[in-house]
């Protein structure tokens, strides 16, 4: 006898899998299942059509007249184990029940209320609703496996998983197909058991509410801030021990008194009148500096009182000063923050905004950029802007450091690890950076053995000292930096790909000075102020500086200002005062003859000149031109991939520059000068 066939109709394929597992759990493999998600579907031998929703799916997918199979609309229950997440919600929480069908969303709301969660406020929602509910006051979204349909802006989501087939539907399937299952009583008992457990949990939650209220005062007595609650009548109904300690008042003696009798220094009258918060105000009380916040409590639009929270700032400032002193004594501190990044160019502002977003997380950062662009300034700025800014900032530079020295510096060593080892051993830089940030500068120069050790620390979050036998847990954020192309090094076997992917969780590229030449005047002013120099630059000199490629970036510009501060007679800088490579328009290590030879080795000189001349025609445009436009302008037709390769080579030698976000390609001053040399 052939197995009976059920066609399962669902909007989402995940729901089909849930139904499939329910049916197999009860009937085993004695029923054949088909789905509208796996085409084609043959209706001739279908014995039953099981639909997750009434009408819509059936009309869209099935010509009901062409099959004699009966239609069964599934009744669905909820995974009781996942309902426990709802116990964590506060009473009267505003909950949005999200589904892909309005009728199912309403049904889910009814079921949850029936199960005893009627103390929560539910609103049914589906994307196709004509009149969706107002989301302004919604606290949390609840869904059954459809988190992708939650409206944007709602960050708190509880996913209860796809709703299972109800016991009644399983019995209907058995009856229609005349296909019995022996362990029906076990399934029934399971449903009853789960319902009973949920009822018991709800009863416990009521008892727990009384317990929580009685424990609230004890909890508030443990916090390190003064907490006071004034009800809508102006009476003090809560006054924790820390508030009494700061104000030197008996916490019990002030209860139920009017606030004007005991707290007249705070601006409680203003909040009572305006119902507006007063955030973080400084108040002088009993000779103390208090940082206080007053917040009105509005429940369902009704004013119910004010929470006053305050702390003794003198104590906080003293603690912060102690932390700063310890950092300064150890030398594990920073000198720079985001305010030290000079320049208002668009690309620099975008880079700084991205760096601030990165700083708010705790993931590993890989900073890339040419030499002299200020990668360490950004690393220190990220540390100072992060939640770890009270912890140490430890930097290590791998350029020129030997493998043996790098290992002992990074991970420390145990007593007797080698001849001359310090008695008692020595903590490594990872240990010194505990609860702070470690900066791995020039990570591309790290030996392969050290790369493997760093990878192990990133994975295990623990270190072992050289010559030691115990592991030491470390809680540090890693920021790495390099001016090398790590992807090329990976292909050559010089850098571990697994370490690269670990470090590159949050990539940050620092633009070269050539990409932000509009920042050169601001940088010059900054360096002149640092050196207390009164030098001035004529427009002609500024034009020369702007046309120079700056292979050494900001560091080279700073060196130039130092040089000019020493050799210039008077205050006016002339073109003859500039180093030869800047006067000539070519970097000292990139003379036009050398560039010409390099281009000869990279292909047809005629093609490079053709590209530069075409770009020369459009140099007056504000933006560059796209590759397709440039391709059409060339004398000889070449493929787009070949043109991209040629542009990459010209960019490498500073003859062209490309913008960001489809801003096209432009010729540089160096490229203009090179046309006559090719």
């Amino acid at each position: 006898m052939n197995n009976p066939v059920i066609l399962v109709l669902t909007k989402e394929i995940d729901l089909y899998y849930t139904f499939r597992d329910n049916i197999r759990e009860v009937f085993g493999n004695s029923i054949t299942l088909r789905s509208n998600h796996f085409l084609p579907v043959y209706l001739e031998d279908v014995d039953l059509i099981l639909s997750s929703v009434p009408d819509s799916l059936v009309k869209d997918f099935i010509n009901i007249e062409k099959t004699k199979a009966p239609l069964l609309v599934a009744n669905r229950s909820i995974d009781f184990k996942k309902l426990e997440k709802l116990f964590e919600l506060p009473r009267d929480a505003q909950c949005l029940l999200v589904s892909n069908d309005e009728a199912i969303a309403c049904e889910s709301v009814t079921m949850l209320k029936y199960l005893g969660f009627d103390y929560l406020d539910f609103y049914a929602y589906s994307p196709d609703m004509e009149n969706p509910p107002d989301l302004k006051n919604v606290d949390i979204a609840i869904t059954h496996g459809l988190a992708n349909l939650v409206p944007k802006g709602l960050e708190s989501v509880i996913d209860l998983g796809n709703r299972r087939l109800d016991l009644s539907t399983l019995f209907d399937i058995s009856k229609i197909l005349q296909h019995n299952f022996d362990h029906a009583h076990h399934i029934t008992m399971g449903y009853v058991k789960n319902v009973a457990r949920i009822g018991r949990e709800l009863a416990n939650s009521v008892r727990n509410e009384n317990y929580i209220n009685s424990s609230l005062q004890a909890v508030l007595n443990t916090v390190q801030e003064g907490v006071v609650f004034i009800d809508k009548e102006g009476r003090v109904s809560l006054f924790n021990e820390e508030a009494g300690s700061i104000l030197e008042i008996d916490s019990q003696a002030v209860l139920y008194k009017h606030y004007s009798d005991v707290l007249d220094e705070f601006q409680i009258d203003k909040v009572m009148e305006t119902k507006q918060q007063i955030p973080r105000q400084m108040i002088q009380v009993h000779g103390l500096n208090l940082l206080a916040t007053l917040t009105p409590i509005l429940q369902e639009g009704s004013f119910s009182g004010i929470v006053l929270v305050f702390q003794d700032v003198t104590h906080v400032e003293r603690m912060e000063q102690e932390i700063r002193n310890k950092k300064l004594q150890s030398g594990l501190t920073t000198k720079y923050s985001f305010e030290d990044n000079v320049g208002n160019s668009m690309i620099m502002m975008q880079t700084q905004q991205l760096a601030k977003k990165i700083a708010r997380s705790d993931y590993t950062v890989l900073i890339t950029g040419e030499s002299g662009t200020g990668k360490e300034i950004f690393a220190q700025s990220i540390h100072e802007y992060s939640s770890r800014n009270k912890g140490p900032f430890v930097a290590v530079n791998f350029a020129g450091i030997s493998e043996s020295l790098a290992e002992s510096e990074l991970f420390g060593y145990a007593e007797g690890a080698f001849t001359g080892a310090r008695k008692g051993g020595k903590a490594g830089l990872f240990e010194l950076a505990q609860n702070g940030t470690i900066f791995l500068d020039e990570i591309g120069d790290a030996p392969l053995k050290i790369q493997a050790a760093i990878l192990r620390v990133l994975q295990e979050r623990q270190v072992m000292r050289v010559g030691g036998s115990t592991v030491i847990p470390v809680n540090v954020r890693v920021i790495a930096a390099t001016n090398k192309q790590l992807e090329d090094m990976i292909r050559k076997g010089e850098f571990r790909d697994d370490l690269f992917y670990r470090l590159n969780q949050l990539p940050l590229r620092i633009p070269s000075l050539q990409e932000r030449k509009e920042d050169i005047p601001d940088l010059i002013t900054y360096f002149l102020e640092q050196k207390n120099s009164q030098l001035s630059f004529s427009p002609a000199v500024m034009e020369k500086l702007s046309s120079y490629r700056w292979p050494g970036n900001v560091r080279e510009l700073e060196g130039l200002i130092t040089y000019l501060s020493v050799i210039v007679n008077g205050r006016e800088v002339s073109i003859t005062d500039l180093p030869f490579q800047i006067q000539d328009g070519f970097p000292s290590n990139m003379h036009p003859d050398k560039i010409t030879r390099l281009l000869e080795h990279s292909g047809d000189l005629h093609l490079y000149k053709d590209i530069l001349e075409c770009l020369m025609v459009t140099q007056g445009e504000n933006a560059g031109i796209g590759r397709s436009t440039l391709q059409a302008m060339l004398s000889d037709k070449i493929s787009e991939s070949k043109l991209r390769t040629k542009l990459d080579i010209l960019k490498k030698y500073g003859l062209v520059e490309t913008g960001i976000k489809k801003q096209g390609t432009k010729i540089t001053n160096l490229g203009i000068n090179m046309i006559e040399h090719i």
Side-chain angles (χ1 to χ4, degrees):
M1 179 178 179
N2 294 332
N3 290 344
V5 179
I6 300 178
L7 171 60
V8 181
L9 303 180
T10 61
K11 285 188 174 182
E12 308 289 338
I13 191 170
D14 286 346
L15 183 58
Y16 162 71
Y17 289 131
T18 299
F19 284 8
R20 180 199 65 184
D21 294 343
N22 294 162
I23 293 171
R24 288 181 177 172
E25 180 183 344
V26 174
F27 298 102
N29 293 319
S30 61
I31 292 179
T32 300
L33 298 177
R34 295 178 186 168
S35 167
N36 58 303
H37 297 286
F38 303 107
L39 301 177
V41 176
Y42 300 103
L43 300 176
E44 290 77 7
D45 57 344
V46 169
D47 299 294
L48 173 64
I49 299 172
L50 177 65
S51 178
S52 63
V53 294
D55 300 332
S56 59
L57 273 176
V58 178
K59 291 179 180 178
D60 292 342
F61 191 79
I62 298 297
N63 186 344
I64 200 70
E65 296 178 357
K66 292 186 177 181
T67 178
K68 297 180 180 179
L71 171 67
L72 176 62
V73 178
N75 293 324
R76 293 157 63 189
S77 65
I78 295 176
D79 189 336
F80 291 101
K81 292 181 180 179
K82 294 184 178 179
L83 282 177
E84 295 176 356
K85 298 178 182 178
L86 301 185
F87 290 123
E88 302 173 6
L89 298 179
R91 182 173 294 275
D92 298 326
Q94 307 291 303
C95 306
L96 190 72
L97 201 296
V98 179
S99 183
N100 56 4
D101 185 277
E102 182 176 357
I104 294 178
C106 294
E107 179 192 345
S108 297
V109 168
T110 301
M111 178 172 290
L112 287 172
K113 289 184 176 180
Y114 181 78
L115 287 172
F117 294 98
D118 50 350
Y119 61 88
L120 302 173
D121 290 335
F122 291 101
Y123 302 94
Y125 171 85
S126 68
D128 58 350
M129 292 179 70
E130 292 185 4
N131 299 304
D134 186 3
L135 305 180
K136 185 186 302 181
N137 298 318
V138 171
D139 301 310
I140 192 166
I142 299 173
T143 185
H144 294 283
L146 296 170
N148 59 304
L149 300 183
V150 173
K152 292 182 178 180
L154 273 179
E155 297 182 358
S156 298
V157 179
I158 292 179
D159 191 344
L160 298 177
N162 285 317
R163 292 172 54 194
R164 298 164 56 89
L165 291 173
D166 187 72
L167 184 61
S168 63
T169 299
L170 294 172
F171 278 119
D172 285 341
I173 292 173
S174 174
K175 181 178 179 181
I176 292 171
L177 299 181
Q178 297 182 356
H179 205 82
N180 296 327
F181 50 96
D182 297 330
H183 53 292
H185 62 288
H186 292 297
I187 298 174
T188 305
M189 289 175 62
Y191 270 67
V192 173
K193 179 180 178 181
N194 281 322
V195 172
R197 182 171 57 81
I198 291 296
R200 184 173 66 252
E201 293 290 345
L202 285 168
N204 288 339
S205 70
V206 174
R207 291 195 298 271
N208 289 341
E209 184 176 356
N210 295 328
Y211 173 75
I212 290 171
N213 288 335
S214 65
S215 302
L216 178 60
Q217 182 72 48
V219 171
L220 291 176
N221 285 337
T222 66
V223 302
Q224 301 300 308
E225 294 176 311
V227 181
V228 179
F229 181 71
I230 299 122
D231 65 23
K232 62 183 180 181
E233 305 299 331
R235 295 186 298 267
V236 177
S237 59
L238 187 149
F239 199 94
N240 75 336
E241 292 180 357
E242 184 68 13
S245 176
I246 293 173
L247 300 178
E248 297 181 349
I249 297 176
D250 186 343
S251 299
Q252 297 300 314
V254 300
L255 289 178
Y256 311 115
K257 289 187 177 181
H258 196 269
Y259 69 84
S260 59
D261 296 330
V262 290
L263 299 167
D264 57 331
E265 297 92 344
F266 299 89
Q267 298 182 29
I268 299 174
D269 288 334
K270 184 176 180 180
V271 182
M272 281 284 187
E273 179 181 351
T274 65
K275 308 298 187 292
Q276 298 294 317
Q277 183 188 50
I278 299 179
R280 298 176 65 82
Q281 62 170 345
M282 290 292 297
I283 299 177
Q284 287 277 343
V285 180
H286 301 168
L288 298 173
N289 289 325
L290 302 184
L291 184 63
T293 298
L294 292 101
T295 305
I297 304 300
L298 301 174
Q299 294 182 334
E300 298 181 354
S302 177
F303 175 71
S304 60
I306 297 172
V307 173
L308 166 64
V309 180
F310 56 90
Q311 60 183 154
D312 183 356
V313 178
T314 308
H315 173 67
V316 174
E317 289 178 341
R318 190 184 310 120
M319 291 179 62
E320 291 184 347
Q321 185 61 45
E322 290 177 1
I323 292 172
R324 283 194 294 269
N325 288 340
K326 288 180 179 178
K327 287 174 66 179
L328 289 172
Q329 289 169 8
S330 64
L332 305 179
T333 185
T334 58
K335 297 191 300 181
Y336 302 107
S337 65
F338 282 120
E339 287 71 24
D340 295 304
N341 284 309
V342 180
N344 295 304
S345 62
M346 179 63 71
I347 191 170
M348 196 61 178
M349 297 298 290
Q350 291 173 344
T351 303
Q352 186 143 300
Q353 289 172 7
L354 176 60
K356 287 182 177 180
K357 291 180 181 179
I358 287 173
R360 297 190 191 104
S361 75
D362 208 35
Y363 295 108
T364 303
V365 183
L366 179 60
I367 303 176
T368 58
E370 296 178 8
S371 178
T373 51
K375 294 185 287 296
E376 182 162 3
I377 292 178
F378 269 91
Q380 293 190 20
S381 300
I382 289 171
H383 170 76
E384 283 300 311
Y385 203 75
S386 73
S387 59
R388 293 179 176 267
N389 58 5
K390 298 294 190 298
F393 178 87
V394 179
V396 56
N397 192 313
F398 288 100
I401 191 171
S402 66
E403 181 177 303
S404 58
L405 182 59
E407 187 174 18
S408 61
E409 284 293 311
L410 284 173
F411 311 117
Y413 55 80
E415 181 175 352
F418 49 81
T419 303
R422 181 187 302 177
K423 186 176 182 181
K426 178 186 175 183
L429 296 180
F430 271 99
E431 289 180 65
L432 294 178
Q434 186 76 348
N435 299 320
T437 302
I438 186 167
F439 176 48
L440 308 178
D441 199 8
E442 305 295 353
I443 188 65
D445 292 323
L448 286 170
K449 180 180 177 181
I450 298 300
Q451 292 178 30
I454 293 172
L455 176 63
R456 188 165 59 251
V457 176
L458 291 174
Q459 291 173 335
E460 306 298 333
R461 294 293 171 182
Q462 58 189 22
V463 298
M464 181 182 294
R465 292 184 180 181
V466 176
S469 58
T470 59
V471 295
I472 303 169
V474 291
N475 174 22
V476 299
R477 184 186 196 176
V478 174
I479 300 178
T482 183
N483 61 4
K484 296 186 175 182
Q485 296 295 328
L486 296 185
E487 293 92 338
D488 293 340
M489 295 181 66
I490 290 171
R491 285 191 288 270
K492 296 175 183 176
E494 298 171 353
F495 199 86
R496 295 179 62 104
D497 57 348
D498 45 6
L499 176 59
F500 172 75
Y501 296 124
R502 278 280 182 178
L503 295 174
N504 202 40
Q505 291 179 337
L506 294 176
L508 178 67
R509 178 183 172 274
I510 312 302
S512 65
L513 188 54
Q514 187 179 16
E515 297 174 86
R516 46 180 291 228
K517 287 186 176 180
E518 55 266 52
D519 290 335
I520 289 177
D522 290 338
L523 288 164
I524 289 175
T525 301
Y526 174 77
F527 291 135
L528 288 174
E529 289 175 353
Q530 275 196 326
K531 301 176 191 308
N532 197 25
S533 174
Q534 303 298 317
L535 290 178
S536 61
F537 294 74
S538 67
V541 172
M542 290 301 297
E543 176 64 26
K544 277 291 182 184
L545 297 180
S546 296
S547 64
Y548 181 58
R549 185 169 175 266
W550 297 106
N553 293 290
V554 179
R555 186 182 295 124
E556 184 181 2
L557 177 59
E558 182 181 13
L560 172 67
I561 301 304
T562 302
Y563 168 77
L564 294 175
S565 299
V566 173
I567 64 99
V568 172
N569 295 320
R571 296 180 56 183
E572 183 77 21
V573 178
S574 67
I575 291 180
T576 57
D577 293 323
L578 299 176
F580 170 77
Q581 66 268 22
I582 299 179
Q583 291 184 44
D584 190 49
F586 295 95
S588 58
N589 63 337
M590 293 294 282
H591 193 271
D593 292 338
K594 181 178 180 180
I595 296 177
T596 302
R597 289 194 300 272
L598 291 171
L599 292 177
E600 283 179 327
H601 290 301
S602 303
D604 185 3
L605 270 180
H606 172 74
L607 178 56
Y608 287 120
K609 187 173 184 178
D610 193 12
I611 293 172
L612 292 175
E613 287 176 342
C614 290
L615 292 174
M616 179 74 172
V617 174
T618 61
Q619 68 167 329
E621 303 294 330
N622 291 329
I625 62 174
R627 283 195 300 272
S628 58
T629 303
L630 179 57
Q631 187 180 11
M633 294 174 64
L634 294 175
S635 303
D636 298 323
K637 301 305 178 184
I638 62 172
S639 66
E640 185 179 354
S641 61
K642 184 175 181 180
L643 176 58
R644 187 186 302 113
T645 301
K646 298 303 180 186
L647 288 175
D648 287 342
I649 292 171
L650 290 172
K651 182 180 178 182
K652 177 180 178 181
Y653 300 134
L655 307 186
V656 301
E657 58 185 22
T658 55
I660 57 175
K661 296 184 178 179
K662 300 184 179 179
Q663 292 177 357
T665 303
K666 293 194 297 185
I667 190 170
T668 65
N669 290 325
L670 179 58
I672 295 171
N673 293 335
M674 276 300 301
I675 291 177
E676 62 185 53
H677 289 277
I678 297 178

